[in-house]
């Protein structure tokens, strides 16, 4: 049985630009994430308490990143 490498979470800050959505921001960081993409989008929404609200240009989002130890 292959063992998954251990990961820890670090965080990046992303300032929202005009026209960006949480989905397109997640695409920019997807190569630094080990989860399925839709779970990553959901995690960004949860970390930033975005349920039911839109992001605006100038907002700063915290992006959780998985780093292999």
């Amino acid at each position: 049985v292959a063992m998954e490498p251990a990961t820890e979470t670090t965080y990046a800050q992303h300032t929202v630009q005009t026209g960006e959505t949480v989905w397109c921001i997640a695409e920019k960081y997807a190569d630094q994430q080990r989860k399925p993409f839709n779970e990553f989008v959901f995690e960004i929404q949860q970390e930033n308490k975005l349920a039911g609200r839109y992001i605006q240009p100038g907002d700063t989002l915290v992006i959780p990143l998985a780093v292999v130890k």
Side-chain angles (χ1 to χ4, degrees):
V1 176
M3 303 235 351
E4 287 286 321
T7 60
E8 68 180 41
T9 302
T10 61
Y11 295 88
Q13 288 192 347
H14 179 89
T15 302
V16 178
Q17 303 299 311
T18 301
E20 285 186 320
T21 63
V22 174
W23 190 271
C24 79
I25 292 167
E27 287 178 332
K28 293 179 181 184
Y29 294 92
D31 63 338
Q32 299 174 56
Q33 188 51 247
R34 299 179 59 89
K35 304 184 164 156
F37 186 74
N38 60 333
E39 287 181 27
F40 182 43
V41 172
F42 183 71
E43 187 175 15
I44 292 170
Q45 291 172 326
Q46 284 197 302
E47 284 287 337
N48 293 282
K49 299 173 179 51
L50 297 178
R53 89 170 185 86
Y54 292 100
I55 58 174
Q56 302 291 324
D59 286 352
T60 300
L61 300 182
V62 174
I63 311 296
L65 305 175
V67 177
V68 177
K69 287 185 183 179

